[in-house]
Amino acid sequence: MKPFLTVRSLKEKIEKKEVSPEEVLSYYTERFNTYNEKIGAALEVFDEASVIESSKKEGALHGIPGLIKDNISQNDRGLTCASRILADFVSPYDATACSRLKNEGALLMGRANMDEFAMGSSTETSAFFKTKNPWDVSRVPGGSSGGSAAAVAAGLVPWALGSDTGGSVRQPAAFCGIVGFKPTYGLISRYGLVAYGSSLDQIGIFAHTAYDAAMICSAIAGHDVKDSTTLMVGKTDYTQKLDGTLPDDITIGVVENALHAEGMDSGVVQAIEEAIVQYEKLGIKVKRISMPSLDYAAAAYFILSRAEAASNLARFDGVRYGMRAADVDALKQLYAKTRHDGFGDEVKARIMVGNYVLSAGHADQFYDGAQKVQRLIRREFMKAFADVNLLIMPTHPAPAFKFGAYSDNKLQMDLQDYFTCAMNLAGNPAISIPCGMSKDGLPIGMQLVGPHLSENLLFQAAHAYQEKTNWHEEHPEGF
Ligand code: GLN
């Protein structure tokens, strides 16, 4: 066994009986034992026997280990959302994504660290410990799904699940030099995903290649009777069209006002311009376009995500889930003390902002205005896709930042979502792919965006690029 194997190559090895699922799992467990302390990617790695036992012994992902962000329920395992309030909570059931993966024989080997309740862009808000970027441990892995991204980037696991409400799969993927995919809103069931912003949340996938992400997506996508927001999409094999080619007559729109926005790191711009040349070489037409409403996406996202979070997190009251404050005399005191002791500062701040923007007298000023911007962005995407098949733009304005860089500048932290949250507001699928390295040796990502349910084309375009380039084969040293 070698580190950094893809899902695809592992599947081949297992099918040819070069290795057994048990051997594969032991190998990755050993890698966690050796390296997890260095980067803090996993909150828990399960014992091997219980992992093998909980999955089917056959299927499209038979014997292939993965890590699950700790806001996605795994039956009979802890589920903390990296929060003290759920520190001892055990999930009584599997999220649909997890049960489908187990049903395809995948081995769910542990729980990934994250920002508390998926609120953040650096994994610094985890109540337990910080996850470090494997490329440079003085830097953040991005967030909120930083544990999932760091684990894949360090080769501790070939794929992982995260969740993406405003960019939490794509931004950490870009910071860690791997692929991060967010599906169309409603493609992947959220049954068992702890809700943050319900009109925005989607489960997403980390892997080294678009091909691997397509393999995982094929296992989990499609309608689920347990999630009424899933679309009526049947089981699909998203790898079927991945032969390195693209359909004839494809045009990619380069979102100029994003790519050349003020404050963009010049290395990121250059890497993406080079990727555009690569697409031209693949025979794709390129059109430079502008999407002015993107400039308002982060502000609208800020308001809507907080409003939805305030309402979703009301359920953590010390009665039904997790922690319960002791030494209280009255019910109201129980609520207050549990939430005071259980939630971290970022979560509390967001609940307060959320309740404020929804409160009488302020809702029309904030919430209603943000919804108008959301409609504007949706229309602008529809208009763009009447003209081009896909969009290309940055995932992030600059490579991974240092720990604490934005502790005193929350605005900069919130601006991490600048290029990613519009797709959550509009429900469009998007994928971040590694496309270069900064002069400091940090990975750079670019983002491809498609119309609703264009996953096949999105994977095709990402795969075709990866067939011609080898940025995805660059790995951090020391793992
Ligand atoms: N950084 C964004 C936030 O803090 C994105 C979070 C996410 O996608 N879960 O809300």
Side-chain angles (χ1 to χ4, degrees):
M1 293 280 291
K2 289 191 313 218
F4 305 109
L5 288 175
T6 59
V7 175
R8 191 182 186 181
S9 60
L10 259 174
K11 180 178 159 80
E12 236 176 71
K13 283 187 186 303
I14 292 168
E15 277 171 359
K16 285 195 199 139
K17 301 210 181 319
E18 285 172 27
V19 278
S20 69
E22 288 79 7
E23 284 164 342
V24 172
L25 184 63
S26 294
Y27 172 79
Y28 284 103
T29 306
E30 194 44 45
R31 283 188 65 79
F32 269 105
N33 290 342
T34 314
Y35 300 112
N36 192 46
E37 212 177 290
K38 186 166 161 189
I39 54 169
L43 291 166
E44 184 187 357
V45 177
F46 308 136
D47 83 88
E48 293 173 43
S50 71
V51 172
I52 296 277
E53 197 192 326
S54 61
S55 281
K56 224 161 123 178
K57 307 289 171 280
E58 59 186 15
L61 298 169
H62 180 210
I64 301 176
L67 193 69
I68 307 293
K69 185 177 183 178
D70 206 23
N71 60 350
I72 304 173
S73 310
Q74 304 186 62
N75 183 34
D76 220 12
R77 308 286 195 190
L79 176 72
T80 67
C81 297
S83 180
R84 282 191 302 277
I85 210 163
L86 290 176
D88 301 315
F89 183 75
V90 174
S91 171
Y93 65 91
D94 264 328
T96 296
C98 293
S99 60
R100 287 182 180 175
L101 284 161
K102 288 177 177 175
N103 213 24
E104 291 293 353
L107 302 175
L108 309 191
M109 64 183 297
R111 305 185 286 116
N113 197 20
M114 56 186 279
D115 278 303
E116 186 176 3
F117 281 103
M119 298 176 183
S121 299
S122 64
T123 315
E124 290 170 292
T125 74
S126 166
F128 304 123
F129 47 78
K130 294 184 178 38
T131 297
K132 294 168 186 144
N133 191 315
W135 291 87
D136 173 353
V137 293
S138 71
R139 291 175 191 271
V140 304
S144 62
S145 315
S148 304
V152 174
L156 308 193
V157 80
W159 64 272
L161 291 189
S163 65
D164 191 313
T165 304
S168 280
V169 166
R170 290 160 287 155
Q171 183 256 23
F175 278 15
C176 290
I178 58 172
V179 164
F181 163 70
K182 178 198 94 74
T184 303
Y185 185 81
L187 184 67
I188 295 180
S189 167
R190 298 179 301 175
Y191 177 73
L193 168 70
V194 178
Y196 162 14
S198 307
S199 77
L200 311 160
D201 297 336
Q202 274 294 293
I203 287 177
I205 300 162
F206 293 98
H208 289 292
T209 63
Y211 194 99
D212 284 4
M215 288 173 78
I216 304 296
C217 187
S218 307
I220 62 180
H223 182 249
D224 176 16
V225 288
K226 292 177 178 153
D227 175 357
S228 62
T229 64
T230 49
L231 300 166
M232 285 296 170
V233 174
K235 199 166 165 48
T236 308
D237 179 359
Y238 292 97
T239 63
Q240 217 167 35
K241 297 204 164 93
L242 303 186
D243 58 7
T245 64
L246 276 151
D248 292 338
D249 220 18
I250 292 290
T251 306
I252 292 194
V254 178
V255 187
E256 277 289 291
N257 58 315
L259 183 55
H260 295 286
E262 202 189 309
M264 281 295 297
D265 176 279
S266 59
V268 175
V269 178
Q270 195 190 333
I272 297 177
E273 288 290 3
E274 280 164 19
I276 294 166
V277 172
Q278 190 60 56
Y279 273 115
E280 282 174 326
K281 284 193 198 146
L282 281 164
I284 284 171
K285 286 198 278 303
V286 170
K287 199 168 162 183
R288 304 264 164 179
I289 67 158
S290 163
M291 295 186 64
S293 69
L294 286 187
D295 290 346
Y296 306 105
Y301 170 78
F302 181 93
I303 293 169
L304 296 175
S305 61
R306 271 69 177 171
E308 293 186 21
S311 123
N312 274 324
L313 268 60
R315 75 192 64 176
F316 300 101
D317 55 5
V319 178
R320 284 169 293 182
Y321 309 96
M323 205 178 108
R324 170 180 289 232
D327 303 325
V328 290
D329 313 318
L331 185 61
K332 220 167 151 184
Q333 213 187 342
L334 171 73
Y335 295 161
K337 191 156 190 297
T338 302
R339 290 164 72 81
H340 174 274
D341 296 347
F343 289 139
D345 290 346
E346 182 65 25
V347 175
K348 283 180 195 154
R350 291 190 186 214
I351 292 171
M352 283 189 270
V353 171
N355 285 319
Y356 179 75
V357 299
L358 286 170
S359 59
H362 296 295
D364 51 345
Q365 190 185 351
F366 295 111
Y367 190 75
D368 300 353
Q371 283 196 315
K372 279 186 201 149
V373 172
Q374 178 172 28
R375 283 196 291 276
L376 200 71
I377 290 171
R378 280 193 188 146
R379 275 207 299 272
E380 207 165 85
F381 271 115
M382 268 152 60
K383 209 176 118 208
F385 288 125
D387 225 20
V388 300
N389 304 91
L390 293 172
L391 296 171
I392 190 165
M393 58 188 279
T395 309
H396 58 126
F401 51 88
K402 297 246 183 195
F403 283 99
Y406 300 140
S407 315
D408 299 325
N409 191 344
K410 279 184 56 64
L411 182 64
Q412 274 307 319
M413 188 67 99
D414 291 328
L415 288 178
Q416 287 299 313
D417 314 324
Y418 203 84
F419 294 132
T420 47
C421 65
M423 297 70 181
N424 302 81
L425 292 170
N428 293 65
I431 188 164
S432 179
I433 323 164
C435 68
M437 287 301 229
S438 76
K439 54 182 187 324
D440 307 325
L442 298 170
I444 293 172
M446 66 172 170
Q447 195 176 194
L448 295 178
V449 189
H452 292 137
L453 291 179
S454 64
E455 272 76 7
N456 270 317
L457 181 61
L458 206 57
F459 284 131
Q460 266 181 302
H463 176 66
Y465 174 80
Q466 291 191 311
E467 289 271 283
K468 297 279 181 224
T469 55
N470 42 26
W471 297 112
H472 59 286
E473 286 163 5
E474 301 270 344
H475 303 298
E477 268 169 38
F479 292 96

